[in-house]
Amino acid sequence: MNHFASPQLFISPKVKQLGLELIQELYIQRSARLAFYLDVNPAFDGHEAVFFWIRNYLEEHPEAGFSEIQNHFIRIVPQY
């Protein structure tokens, strides 16, 4: 029997924590089409897009906290 193994996201604990907080705070659905706005791989679902966007954001702004990340997200994604 073959089992499909879904690919794992390789993100840091900090990115995971910030991503989950943002997803919960803004009620982001997995089906949200965010990749275009967040400039990440269009194959990513809404949650994956958030995690990878935060990872990329922290590479440029390593000291950013949740409030800064949330405010920037709201500015670039029109529906939030």
Side-chain angles (χ1 to χ4, degrees):
M1 178 186 280
N2 291 333
H3 294 281
F4 176 76
S6 63
Q8 298 297 311
L9 298 178
F10 294 105
I11 54 174
S12 72
K14 180 178 180 177
V15 168
K16 183 177 180 180
Q17 182 259 332
L18 290 167
L20 290 173
E21 192 173 349
L22 188 65
I23 288 166
Q24 291 172 349
E25 184 74 23
L26 298 179
Y27 305 102
I28 298 171
Q29 300 295 312
R30 185 172 294 278
S31 61
R33 302 234 180 235
L34 298 175
F36 174 77
Y37 298 108
L38 300 178
D39 196 27
V40 296
N41 186 329
F44 292 153
D45 66 32
H47 291 177
E48 293 167 336
V50 168
F51 290 128
F52 279 94
W53 175 78
I54 290 174
R55 186 193 68 180
N56 295 343
Y57 189 82
L58 288 176
E59 286 177 1
E60 294 181 26
H61 308 92
E63 300 303 317
F66 178 74
S67 295
E68 178 182 337
I69 290 169
Q70 182 180 20
N71 289 336
H72 191 71
F73 180 90
I74 291 170
R75 280 196 306 270
I76 63 173
V77 179
Q79 66 235 35
Y80 292 94

